[in-house]
Amino acid sequence: MSESAKTAPSEAKELSLIGKVELRIALAGTDAELKAILKTFLPPLLLKLASEHLNVRNKYVNTSILESSHRMNSSNVVNTDDTDHLLTTSVKLPVAALLLQFRQHPSSLLIRHFDLLYIQQGIQRLPVVKQLKLLPVLVNGISSDTSISASHGAILFNLLLKILPNFSLPERGSQGDRELRGHFDLVLTEDVTFLAFWFGKLLLLTLSGSENATSTKRACPGLSPDEYGFLTLFDKKNTWIPGDNGGLNLTETKITAARFLASGVFTDQERFLPALFSSADSNSRISNVGVDMLKRAAPNVSLEDPTLIKRLFQIYFGDPSSDGPLPVRPALKIHILTLLSKSIIATTFTADVTLLLRDGLTTSEVTNGSRESLVLFSGREASKLRQAAFSFIIWTGRMGSSADLQIIAPPLVHRLREYVEGQGWPNPNDGARSSQDLSLRGLAYQSIGLLAKSSPAELLLEPNLDLLRWLFQSLSEEGSGGDISVSVEEAIGSVLSCFSKVLDRDVENCLRSLLLHHITLDDESPTNRITTPTQVRRSTRFVAVTYANRCLSYSDVVARWIDLLAIGGRPGERDEVVEEGQKGLNPYWYQILNPPEDRASRHRESLSGNRIIQLPDFASMIQYIIPRLTHSSWGSEGVLPTNLSLTKQALDIVRPAITFCRATLITQALESTEEAMRFDVDWERTLDSKVSSNELARSAIKAYLKRSSTEESQEQMKAILLFLIILYNGMIWNHGEGLPRCGDYFVEVCALCSNAMLAHFAPQVLWWRSSIWSNKHDTRTIAAQAFGILASHTAYPPEELRKLSVTLLDRIRTWKSAVGAELNQVHGSILALAFLWGRLRVRARLDALPETDLDAFLLLIFDIFAESKERTLQEATVTAIDQLCLFSVLRPAHIPPKYTTTLLIDKMMEKARSGNEKAILALGHFAMNLEERKLEDSVLDQILGKLYTLHDIRQPEVQFAVGEALSCAATGWGSKSLVSVLDVEESPPALKTCEEALSSVLTKILSHCKSTKPTMRKASAIWLLCVVQFNGHTLCVQDSLRQCQAAFKAFLADRDSLVQETASRGLALVYKKGDKALKDDLVRDLVASFTGTNANLGGSVAEDTELFEPGALPTGEGSVTTYKDIMSLASEVGDPSLVYRFMSLASHDAIWSSRAAFGRFGLDTILSDSSVDGYLAQNPKLYPKLYRYRFDPNSNVQRAMNDIWAAIVKDPATTVEKHFDEIIDDLLRNILGKEWRVRQACCAAIADLVQSSSFEKYEKYLNEIWGKSFKVIDDIKLSVRTAAMALVRVLAGILTRNLETGDSAGQKASSMLQQVIPFLLSSSGLEASAQEVQQYALTTLLDIIKKSSGKHLRPFIPVLVERMLALLSSLEPEAVNYIHLNASKYDLTEEKIDEMRLSSVRGSPMMEAIERCLDHLEEATMTALLPSLENAMRNALGLPSKVSRDIFHDLVLLHADERLL
């Protein structure tokens, strides 16, 4: 049989079947019949579209479809013909079967097309319930359907949008919401991704209003033409026209889509982008949903995901191709930029970042739905977008990697600079002065600074410093206002670090020039200024000096000159500029501002290996600044310019300039020696101390200056001489008025210079009268000393010296008639000749002047000393006698015949008793010249005895003078107190001293140390300190160090803080001078007295022993002060036991006074040294006590202990960890001690200890800590209770923090709860007798329940619920029961009171905690809870407990499910 013969019956059969179906449809008289026919035959009939016979397919299309469509459509029309059926309902189609058939024939587009055609018609006729049942079928496979045919996918998605409004979403976060994804049977991720994608695109959809855009592909911001067509059913006109043949309302559809996206169907990652789109919608109904959705999703979405960030950039920029999506609207761009500004990885997209800034500065949007309609826009939204773009650029500059920033920085900085200049620079144009424009201008400056520092080689460190100059000029001339200048200053500050490295020489020179220009910008004359139409609007001096301090090395002379100009270069300078200049001249602050790693190559190391800072070269500094301070400079011929004329500007600069130059000279002199300077916070005091009293340092400086006077150091010598000249001119400035510190430094340097150095200077300095005869006392004194140093030099012209001597003597002879200025001249003349004769004696040049001049001078000063009543002249004669005695010009044999040694001593003692320190020193220096071999009954013994009588003078300065005088009298020039007195390069006079004098002085002082008289104790402590300090090198003192140590230790318990400080310093000196055995003994004694409970009051107790401060124990008519007062009071009241009680109180006071002295003046150093290799290294028992004393209520003790702790504990964390058990045992042992201050200190110390230690360390002590802390809460003293409450708050805070951290600290939290909850429920907590303890235990317990997770809390729920239900009644205020019993007295009824009590129970924190426990119930917990609940119901007493019991019972029934029941 032929093939055609075989197919003919098949074709005929199929045509016959179609005809039969047509007949059935035609004969159907009712909608029900038609519905039944279509349900059975419509899907199979549609399959004929896939027939292999063309006639069959044509037959179906031309007849069947038309007939069935006509009948279905006609059923929607009411027929008024009585003979026809009245059809009032639409024909229902087998939509589900058609959907199934649609999915089963993916390859037959014709079948799928007609299936969708009938599905579209039929789905609208289904009731809502059946429509909703189709949702799972509709969404499953929608992704693959769209991949086969975009038009089919668009129709399916449109159908989904029509059904979704009818779907009722479960409550967010509910069980139904969590199961919603399973309800839709969404097992394929592709389908969920498809829905999220197209819902997001729907949220971006805006309909084009241009009808003439049909010639081109329509689009909208964020959508491509194809995506736009997909959502509009490929330009179907009625798609988004509400009510027009099934058209949708776009706004309502977006809202529905946004709410659906927020449901459990989607994960946070899937809904993140659609949420972002909806949050930027202009309709608040849509944006509110989007914002909420975004807030919930953001924490679970990583902004460090490269794929997500890349996608955000693509959405932001769109696709430049013709078929790609357009850029999104500015509002969404702003939201995207906000997210990008939180992503570090976003900074790695260098090309996108660069493009983003360009887009932000030239923003555009789509106006008519096509790419050709991109136009620039401005206004508020554009400003916001630019601001967001700048914020992202700033973020990039801060968080971007150096490699990425080096790529993007140059073009971005160039573009930003163009933007600023485009607005008008340095003054913005009139059109760029709005608040938005100015804000953007400021952000542009900030961005330039942040970006420029990331690529310094290209942008900053070029030879001309173009960008830095531009920023400096912007700061100076920017006319936009103060806010913009702050941004410019911030930009300049941002790039500062780029210049703080080692710079290229050309760049460094250019930077110096720039900074000098700006530090003097306001001081330049108009002719020197750059001629521009703008003017200087604000000073750049602060920025200039900051750059000088951070970018130029400390050895840079120009940088230090800039600092000097900042301090005194302009009257009325701002405080911040002056302060920055002072920091620049302070090497300690320079080290703080410039960490070592920034300037490793600009620092060097000392001999000891420590990093030291390099100061400017002294010669270079002098040669640079002197010409700028004066109108003179060092000439080419080398002539010394002695008469320098200071400029007006220099007057305010001289003092900081000479101070810094002096520090530079001394530091340079001490380099490479053991006395090299270390620039710590006290370096200035250290430097002064080295120059004034450090013998080794002075010797090193003298050696350096001596080397500088040789021919090999000509430049250095010239600089030193020029420095002396400027000091000399400053001293004699303004007719002897002088400039501050010039005279002091002049004398100091001259005293250290060698004779060879001064030989170049002394002959040319002849103008002395103006300063010696100045009306200023200090100037006269210092000028007189300088005159003595220089005029006694061999190079000083003899004729000039003789002439001056005669002149000065003649002036002194007028002392009887001199008044006013003439009296000052007599004063200066006496001092000048006294200093001169003393130096001539040392230089062995007494023959330079006639001996008669000396005799006349001595007679004059003795006459004045004995007869004059003028204080000025008396002061001058005392100083003169002191100087003459010091250098052995005035000895007993040289006293004028009409006067005696006794007269001199008595007269000096008269002045000494009035507190005249110079008179006291003069006595000591006079005693140096006695040269007596035996002390007994000698003049020396007489002087020493008189000095001892000065102990009654209460001024400590006087007692230090007495101590120095005793030291000089005992050892002469062997006393270290005279180190700085010898101010010429000569040996001191050779004097014979009494060998037993020092031993006698030391013995006498040690005996006085045991005195009970307060003034004698203070004086002897100071005298002993002076003797040990000035004579500690002698064998006599070395042999008595143990006795000195014992004396000083006894003074630590003294009530006088000065005595304590003196004792501390004395012990430090003894420790320094003793051997290792002595050092260990000292530390052992200190630790014993420190940690013990007994204290020696310092000697025996006599009647006049002061045991308390006056007024400390008032009695009404006076106060108990001395031991005699205690005896009298005990006798009056007839109670002898008062004596012992007061003595115990005094002893206790002495203990704590002693401990307060421990941190002062050296004891911390002793303990620090011992902790390394001494007694403490083998006996660390001090640490527990010391840790506790750091928290002592006494501020002095606390400060002292903190100082000692910082000194001896180099690594606090390691030390505490090592001695943790000993420390906490000591604290827990003493927290309930007898002394309130110990209890208070223990509370504070435990709080600090547990906060700084891991839980594992104190876990075994936790229960004891809680127990004892709750006991101390009920302490009798308020301050102790306060400290205990603070401790409990700390413990509770640690617990709640661990509860809040979740799983990471779960084990730790569980361990804490196992110990804490039983304790809080015990008799020490909620059942404690003290109300404060009960209240705090309850507060802590409620806080634990509130912040605990169910996992941690469940084991304790049964006992917690039972106890809290019972406590509701016991914790009710007693006043409530009273009012309830006496309701009638207050016009109340019992019912009304009960209502109030019920309301209080329902809203109480305890009931809230009980409900919180209920929320954490599980099956196992419920099983354990039932017996506890039964006990609570049985034992409940009182209305609150009964009510709460019933409420809880009802809540259990409401919350429990069938399994629990």
Side-chain angles (χ1 to χ4, degrees):
M1 186 179 293
S2 65
E3 190 67 25
S4 59
K6 293 180 180 179
T7 59
S10 176
E11 179 180 354
K13 185 178 180 180
E14 291 181 358
L15 291 173
S16 174
L17 289 173
I18 294 174
K20 292 177 180 180
V21 172
E22 289 177 348
L23 181 60
R24 283 176 175 270
I25 292 173
L27 296 176
T30 64
D31 285 349
E33 293 177 359
L34 180 60
K35 174 184 176 181
I37 294 171
L38 292 177
K39 180 178 181 181
T40 304
F41 295 105
L42 182 59
L45 185 62
L46 292 176
L47 290 177
K48 300 305 178 182
L49 291 171
S51 174
E52 59 184 358
H53 306 295
L54 178 62
N55 292 332
V56 175
R57 296 195 299 272
N58 290 336
K59 171 69 173 177
Y60 176 80
V61 172
N62 295 329
T63 58
S64 299
I65 293 178
L66 292 176
E67 178 63 23
S68 59
S69 298
H70 173 75
R71 289 298 306 271
M72 285 185 292
N73 293 331
S74 65
S75 65
N76 291 319
V77 181
V78 177
N79 194 339
T80 57
D81 192 348
D82 293 337
T83 61
D84 293 335
H85 295 289
L86 185 61
L87 302 178
T88 59
T89 60
S90 60
V91 176
K92 305 297 189 296
L93 299 179
V95 177
L98 292 173
L99 269 175
L100 180 63
Q101 182 172 281
F102 175 84
R103 292 275 163 72
Q104 291 174 345
H105 296 80
S107 59
S108 178
L109 294 180
L110 194 58
I111 292 177
R112 292 168 67 87
H113 171 73
F114 283 103
D115 280 338
L116 276 182
L117 182 65
Y118 286 111
I119 290 171
Q120 282 180 285
Q121 294 182 16
I123 205 167
Q124 300 176 26
R125 303 176 183 184
L126 294 177
V128 172
V129 176
K130 290 188 176 182
Q131 287 184 13
L132 295 177
K133 288 183 179 180
L134 291 176
L135 274 178
V137 183
L138 192 62
V139 298
N140 273 280
I142 192 171
S143 175
S144 60
D145 293 337
T146 306
S147 63
I148 296 172
S149 172
S151 61
H152 292 170
I155 295 171
L156 290 174
F157 186 72
N158 185 266
L159 292 175
L160 174 62
L161 296 180
K162 292 179 178 179
I163 298 175
L164 267 183
N166 300 318
F167 183 75
S168 179
L169 291 170
E171 183 180 354
R172 185 179 300 176
S174 65
Q175 185 68 23
D177 185 59
R178 291 192 293 270
E179 297 174 353
L180 195 58
R181 190 161 182 156
H183 171 76
F184 282 94
D185 295 329
L186 285 170
V187 294
L188 295 178
T189 307
E190 294 81 359
D191 291 334
V192 182
T193 304
F194 172 88
L195 293 175
F197 175 83
W198 283 107
F199 280 139
K201 292 297 181 179
L202 172 66
L203 291 168
L204 292 175
L205 177 65
T206 53
L207 299 177
S208 173
S210 175
E211 296 299 331
N212 57 11
T214 54
S215 59
T216 60
K217 294 183 177 181
R218 293 194 184 191
C220 69
L223 271 64
S224 67
D226 291 339
E227 292 167 346
Y228 186 85
F230 182 92
L231 293 174
T232 58
L233 297 181
F234 299 97
D235 290 336
K236 184 179 179 182
K237 292 185 178 181
N238 62 351
T239 304
W240 296 105
I241 300 177
D244 186 359
N245 195 18
L248 295 170
N249 185 303
L250 181 58
T251 299
E252 296 298 330
T253 304
K254 285 185 177 182
I255 295 173
T256 301
R259 290 173 178 170
F260 188 66
L261 282 165
S263 69
V265 174
F266 302 92
T267 64
D268 288 333
Q269 290 76 14
E270 293 163 347
R271 69 168 65 95
F272 180 73
L273 287 178
L276 174 64
F277 301 157
S278 59
S279 67
D281 199 280
S282 58
N283 190 312
S284 61
R285 295 173 62 197
I286 301 172
S287 62
N288 289 343
V289 178
V291 169
D292 180 70
M293 188 173 15
L294 189 62
K295 287 181 179 179
R296 296 173 184 269
N300 299 318
V301 176
S302 173
L303 292 178
E304 305 305 323
D305 180 8
T307 304
L308 174 61
I309 299 302
K310 183 177 180 180
R311 179 68 182 137
L312 289 175
F313 276 117
Q314 290 173 346
I315 295 170
Y316 185 96
F317 295 116
D319 190 338
S321 64
S322 59
D323 294 330
L326 298 176
V328 294
R329 291 193 179 279
L332 181 54
K333 286 186 175 183
I334 294 171
H335 283 65
I336 293 175
L337 287 172
T338 303
L339 294 177
L340 294 177
S341 298
K342 299 177 182 178
S343 170
I344 296 177
I345 203 169
T347 63
T348 62
F349 291 77
T350 54
D352 292 318
V353 173
T354 305
L355 181 61
L356 188 144
L357 178 64
R358 187 188 67 184
D359 176 82
L361 296 182
T362 55
T363 4
S364 59
E365 68 170 341
V366 179
T367 57
N368 293 319
S370 63
R371 189 175 299 275
E372 290 74 11
S373 60
L374 287 172
V375 297
L376 296 179
F377 73 100
S378 59
R380 186 173 182 180
E381 194 170 50
S383 298
K384 286 184 176 180
L385 179 58
R386 292 190 181 103
Q387 189 165 8
F390 280 130
S391 298
F392 175 65
I393 296 301
I394 292 174
W395 166 266
T396 302
R398 290 174 177 166
M399 307 304 296
S401 66
S402 57
D404 293 328
L405 290 175
Q406 287 178 5
I407 297 173
I408 65 176
L412 289 184
V413 170
H414 177 72
R415 186 69 186 87
L416 288 167
R417 187 171 172 179
E418 285 184 346
Y419 172 76
V420 173
E421 293 176 348
Q423 288 185 329
W425 180 85
N427 285 316
N429 302 325
D430 293 338
R433 289 184 176 271
S434 66
S435 59
Q436 293 88 351
D437 290 332
L438 293 180
S439 175
L440 295 175
R441 189 179 181 92
L443 290 174
Y445 277 120
Q446 294 178 33
S447 303
I448 289 173
L450 284 171
L451 293 171
K453 73 174 183 179
S454 62
S455 184
E458 287 189 54
L459 297 171
L460 294 170
L461 303 181
E462 41 88 21
N464 294 324
L465 300 180
D466 178 64
L467 181 60
L468 186 63
R469 289 181 184 277
W470 184 80
L471 289 173
F472 265 85
Q473 188 176 353
S474 297
L475 179 63
S476 175
E477 302 177 7
E478 174 66 52
S480 303
D483 293 340
I484 305 302
S485 65
V486 172
S487 298
V488 179
E489 196 163 350
E490 183 178 340
I492 295 176
S494 298
V495 303
L496 185 147
S497 59
C498 301
F499 295 90
S500 62
K501 311 295 182 182
V502 178
L503 302 176
D504 179 77
R505 179 176 297 179
D506 293 338
V507 173
E508 194 169 41
N509 291 335
C510 188
L511 180 61
R512 288 194 192 96
S513 174
L514 175 64
L515 298 181
L516 272 175
H517 168 72
H518 281 276
I519 197 67
T520 58
L521 184 62
D522 295 348
D523 303 325
E524 295 178 354
S525 62
T527 57
N528 293 333
R529 289 184 179 173
I530 301 174
T531 55
T532 61
T534 61
Q535 294 181 350
V536 176
R537 295 180 178 273
R538 62 187 59 83
S539 173
T540 54
R541 292 167 65 86
F542 176 74
V543 177
V545 70
T546 301
Y547 263 70
N549 291 342
R550 293 294 308 277
C551 305
L552 299 176
S553 67
Y554 198 73
S555 60
D556 193 285
V557 174
V558 176
R560 305 291 72 79
W561 173 245
I562 291 173
D563 290 324
L564 291 171
L565 290 175
I567 295 173
R570 190 174 66 176
E573 184 59 88
R574 290 180 298 166
D575 292 342
E576 61 179 2
V577 178
V578 175
E579 182 180 353
E580 190 66 27
Q582 291 171 343
K583 288 181 179 180
L585 294 182
N586 189 321
Y588 168 75
W589 272 107
Y590 183 85
Q591 293 177 107
I592 298 297
L593 295 173
N594 300 275
E597 59 271 14
D598 287 350
R599 298 190 170 273
S601 62
R602 298 188 181 183
H603 296 124
R604 56 191 183 84
E605 292 187 350
S606 64
L607 293 177
S608 61
N610 295 323
R611 184 181 68 87
I612 60 175
I613 198 169
Q614 180 67 49
L615 269 68
D617 178 68
F618 175 74
S620 301
M621 193 76 189
I622 290 295
Q623 292 173 9
Y624 185 86
I625 69 172
I626 295 301
R628 289 163 175 78
L629 292 177
T630 67
H631 297 296
S632 305
S633 61
W634 188 275
S636 58
E637 298 83 4
V639 179
L640 199 65
T642 54
N643 295 322
L644 298 178
S645 176
L646 294 171
T647 63
K648 182 178 180 181
Q649 180 194 36
L651 296 180
D652 293 326
I653 303 178
V654 166
R655 179 171 181 176
I658 62 172
T659 301
F660 183 75
C661 289
R662 169 203 178 235
T664 302
L665 175 62
I666 296 171
T667 303
Q668 196 166 315
L670 295 176
E671 285 179 349
S672 304
T673 70
E674 294 182 356
E675 298 297 327
M677 285 294 299
R678 304 291 182 271
F679 294 105
D680 55 14
V681 65
D682 292 324
W683 72 272
E684 292 172 298
R685 184 177 61 83
T686 303
L687 186 141
D688 291 338
S689 176
K690 287 180 181 293
V691 176
S692 62
S693 59
N694 189 313
E695 188 175 10
L696 294 177
R698 288 179 65 86
S699 299
I701 298 171
K702 289 178 179 179
Y704 174 79
L705 294 176
K706 190 170 184 177
R707 292 193 303 270
S708 300
S709 62
T710 61
E711 294 183 359
E712 292 80 9
S713 305
Q714 287 295 313
E715 290 300 320
Q716 189 71 11
M717 182 180 68
K718 291 177 181 179
I720 295 172
L721 292 176
L722 194 57
F723 184 49
L724 287 172
I725 287 295
I726 195 67
L727 293 175
Y728 169 74
N729 280 269
M731 183 179 68
I732 66 173
W733 177 79
N734 196 18
H735 306 291
E737 181 181 348
L739 294 175
R741 305 307 300 271
C742 286
D744 296 331
Y745 293 156
F746 179 71
V747 170
E748 180 182 86
V749 177
C750 287
L752 296 170
C753 282
S754 64
N755 288 330
M757 178 75 75
L758 294 180
H760 297 277
F761 180 72
Q764 302 184 51
V765 183
L766 306 177
W767 300 93
W768 291 107
R769 294 184 184 179
S770 62
S771 53
I772 292 176
W773 290 351
S774 172
N775 286 324
K776 293 180 67 175
H777 177 276
D778 293 340
T779 301
R780 294 197 302 271
T781 304
I782 203 70
Q785 185 177 355
F787 171 73
I789 296 172
L790 295 177
S792 64
H793 197 279
T794 56
Y796 198 82
E799 300 80 6
E800 185 66 26
L801 179 60
R802 172 63 182 160
K803 184 179 178 181
L804 276 173
S805 176
V806 172
T807 302
L808 295 175
L809 277 173
D810 291 341
R811 182 60 63 185
I812 296 173
R813 289 188 179 100
T814 65
W815 66 272
K816 292 184 179 180
S817 60
V819 293
E822 294 179 355
L823 191 65
N824 291 334
Q825 293 175 10
V826 174
H827 174 271
S829 299
I830 293 173
L831 295 180
L833 286 178
F835 280 106
L836 174 63
W837 283 108
R839 276 65 186 171
L840 287 174
R841 168 70 175 82
V842 176
R843 294 183 189 275
R845 294 191 66 235
L846 289 176
D847 57 350
L849 293 173
E851 187 175 353
T852 56
D853 286 3
L854 176 58
D855 294 338
F857 176 63
L858 290 175
L859 181 59
L860 282 170
I861 61 172
F862 268 85
D863 288 341
I864 299 171
F865 182 65
E867 300 174 17
S868 177
K869 302 299 182 182
E870 287 287 344
R871 292 183 58 185
T872 302
L873 296 183
Q874 284 292 319
E875 184 266 335
T877 56
V878 170
T879 303
I881 292 173
D882 176 54
Q883 286 295 313
L884 295 173
C885 292
L886 185 62
F887 293 101
S888 300
V889 177
L890 178 60
R891 308 178 76 174
H894 298 150
I895 296 177
K898 62 185 292 188
Y899 299 102
T900 63
T901 301
T902 303
L903 175 66
L904 175 63
I905 295 172
D906 292 342
K907 189 73 174 177
M908 283 295 179
M909 276 302 299
E910 181 183 341
K911 297 181 180 299
R913 288 191 181 92
S914 65
N916 190 320
E917 298 175 35
K918 293 182 180 179
I920 296 171
L921 291 174
L923 280 172
H925 295 160
F926 178 74
M928 294 166 53
N929 298 280
L930 295 176
E931 297 186 351
E932 295 174 326
R933 295 184 177 275
K934 293 185 178 181
L935 184 62
E936 188 176 357
D937 297 330
S938 64
V939 177
L940 175 59
D941 190 33
Q942 178 186 355
I943 292 176
L944 293 176
K946 290 182 179 294
L947 290 174
Y948 294 143
T949 63
L950 298 176
H951 69 272
D952 286 330
I953 302 176
R954 294 185 177 274
Q955 290 87 350
E957 296 83 3
V958 174
Q959 299 307 326
F960 278 106
V962 173
E964 186 176 343
L966 291 172
S967 173
C968 293
T971 57
W973 281 94
S975 174
K976 297 298 183 182
S977 64
L978 302 178
V979 167
S980 61
V981 173
L982 188 61
D983 50 14
V984 293
E985 190 188 12
E986 303 292 345
S987 300
L991 300 173
K992 295 180 180 180
T993 58
C994 181
E995 296 179 358
E996 59 181 284
L998 180 58
S999 177
S1000 173
V1001 168
L1002 187 57
T1003 302
K1004 191 71 172 178
I1005 293 174
L1006 288 172
S1007 66
H1008 287 325
C1009 289
K1010 299 177 182 179
S1011 172
T1012 59
K1013 192 173 182 180
T1015 56
M1016 179 58 79
R1017 285 174 58 81
K1018 179 187 292 187
S1020 59
I1022 294 174
W1023 298 343
L1024 184 60
L1025 175 65
C1026 292
V1027 171
V1028 174
Q1029 181 175 359
F1030 299 138
N1031 303 101
H1033 59 288
T1034 63
L1035 183 61
C1036 177
V1037 176
Q1038 287 286 320
D1039 293 340
S1040 304
L1041 284 178
R1042 288 187 181 275
Q1043 293 90 321
C1044 296
Q1045 171 185 319
F1048 282 129
K1049 189 171 75 70
F1051 285 130
L1052 288 177
D1054 199 277
R1055 291 180 299 100
D1056 194 311
S1057 61
L1058 177 63
V1059 176
Q1060 292 179 354
E1061 293 172 4
T1062 304
S1064 300
R1065 187 184 291 275
L1067 285 172
L1069 284 173
V1070 171
Y1071 183 85
K1072 183 178 180 181
K1073 297 178 183 298
D1075 55 16
K1076 187 177 187 303
L1078 180 65
K1079 291 180 178 179
D1080 285 347
D1081 289 343
L1082 174 59
V1083 174
R1084 187 180 299 107
D1085 292 343
L1086 289 176
V1087 172
S1089 62
F1090 172 74
T1091 58
T1093 56
N1094 297 319
N1096 184 2
L1097 292 178
S1100 59
V1101 179
E1103 287 187 352
D1104 57 349
T1105 302
E1106 289 190 7
L1107 301 176
F1108 303 100
E1109 290 285 349
L1113 298 174
T1115 61
E1117 299 177 355
S1119 64
V1120 175
T1121 303
T1122 64
Y1123 181 70
K1124 181 179 179 180
D1125 296 335
I1126 293 175
M1127 297 294 292
S1128 299
L1129 182 61
S1131 176
E1132 289 178 9
V1133 300
D1135 186 2
S1137 66
L1138 282 180
V1139 176
Y1140 302 99
R1141 296 179 184 177
F1142 275 106
M1143 290 302 294
S1144 176
L1145 182 61
S1147 176
H1148 178 270
D1149 183 66
I1151 291 173
W1152 291 102
S1153 296
S1154 171
R1155 288 168 180 166
F1158 260 73
R1160 299 176 180 170
F1161 294 94
L1163 285 186
D1164 54 350
T1165 305
I1166 294 175
L1167 297 177
S1168 175
D1169 293 342
S1170 180
S1171 67
V1172 176
D1173 56 1
Y1175 175 78
L1176 285 182
Q1178 291 78 33
N1179 300 273
K1181 297 180 180 179
L1182 174 68
Y1183 297 114
K1185 300 287 186 183
L1186 182 58
Y1187 191 91
R1188 167 160 49 94
Y1189 289 147
R1190 291 173 56 222
F1191 301 92
D1192 191 85
N1194 186 304
S1195 59
N1196 291 329
V1197 174
Q1198 189 177 121
R1199 183 171 57 252
M1201 297 307 143
N1202 278 315
D1203 291 342
I1204 295 177
W1205 179 267
I1208 70 175
V1209 180
K1210 306 304 179 185
D1211 187 355
T1214 303
T1215 302
V1216 171
E1217 183 177 3
K1218 182 179 179 181
H1219 302 283
F1220 181 87
D1221 291 333
E1222 293 87 348
I1223 293 174
I1224 198 166
D1225 283 338
D1226 177 80
L1227 295 175
L1228 291 173
R1229 184 169 58 254
N1230 290 281
I1231 194 172
L1232 300 178
K1234 295 181 179 179
E1235 298 184 30
W1236 68 267
R1237 63 194 308 154
V1238 174
R1239 299 195 299 272
Q1240 183 173 333
C1242 286
C1243 290
I1246 293 174
D1248 179 79
L1249 187 62
V1250 296
Q1251 289 183 93
S1252 59
S1253 304
S1254 62
F1255 172 70
E1256 291 74 15
K1257 275 285 185 182
Y1258 60 86
E1259 181 178 5
K1260 60 182 178 181
Y1261 301 100
L1262 188 59
N1263 199 42
E1264 185 177 0
I1265 294 173
W1266 276 98
K1268 292 188 174 181
S1269 61
F1270 269 56
K1271 288 182 180 180
V1272 186
I1273 286 178
D1274 195 31
D1275 197 271
I1276 192 172
K1277 188 168 180 59
L1278 176 61
S1279 62
V1280 180
R1281 296 199 300 270
T1282 303
M1285 293 290 287
L1287 171 58
V1288 174
R1289 280 195 293 270
V1290 168
L1291 295 173
I1294 293 174
L1295 176 59
T1296 53
R1297 282 195 297 272
N1298 280 281
L1299 293 173
E1300 289 173 342
T1301 53
D1303 294 337
S1304 61
Q1307 188 63 36
K1308 187 187 300 184
S1310 297
S1311 300
M1312 287 183 174
L1313 288 178
Q1314 288 173 4
Q1315 298 188 53
V1316 173
I1317 289 182
F1319 169 78
L1320 293 175
L1321 296 175
S1322 69
S1323 58
S1324 299
L1326 288 174
E1327 296 182 0
S1329 57
Q1331 187 175 357
E1332 294 87 352
V1333 175
Q1334 284 185 358
Q1335 188 62 38
Y1336 204 83
L1338 179 61
T1339 302
T1340 304
L1341 192 61
L1342 296 178
D1343 202 28
I1344 289 173
I1345 295 173
K1346 179 180 179 181
K1347 296 183 178 180
S1348 294
S1349 64
K1351 176 182 176 182
H1352 298 145
L1353 194 62
R1354 286 188 191 102
F1356 307 99
I1357 287 179
V1359 64
L1360 285 173
V1361 170
E1362 181 180 358
R1363 296 298 298 277
M1364 286 191 293
L1365 287 174
L1367 283 171
L1368 277 167
S1369 290
S1370 61
L1371 294 179
E1372 187 179 42
E1374 296 179 1
V1376 175
N1377 290 325
Y1378 175 81
I1379 295 176
H1380 190 273
L1381 294 174
N1382 299 275
S1384 59
K1385 295 181 181 180
Y1386 301 97
D1387 295 330
L1388 296 171
T1389 62
E1390 293 182 358
E1391 291 77 8
K1392 189 171 184 180
I1393 295 175
D1394 288 341
E1395 289 179 4
M1396 296 170 62
R1397 294 171 72 185
L1398 292 176
S1399 177
S1400 175
V1401 168
R1402 292 190 182 97
S1404 68
M1406 192 174 294
M1407 198 63 206
E1408 182 182 346
I1410 293 173
E1411 293 177 2
R1412 172 78 173 169
C1413 292
L1414 180 63
D1415 292 338
H1416 294 307
L1417 283 178
E1418 288 184 348
E1419 184 175 1
T1421 313
M1422 176 62 78
T1423 303
L1425 175 64
L1426 291 177
S1428 300
L1429 183 59
E1430 183 180 352
N1431 291 334
M1433 296 176 69
R1434 184 185 302 112
N1435 301 323
L1437 298 174
L1439 181 65
S1441 293
K1442 293 180 178 179
V1443 171
S1444 61
R1445 174 198 64 190
D1446 296 338
I1447 293 174
F1448 184 75
H1449 182 267
D1450 294 342
L1451 289 175
V1452 169
L1453 295 178
L1454 288 174
H1455 285 76
D1457 56 20
E1458 294 181 358
R1459 290 178 302 159
L1460 296 177
L1461 295 175

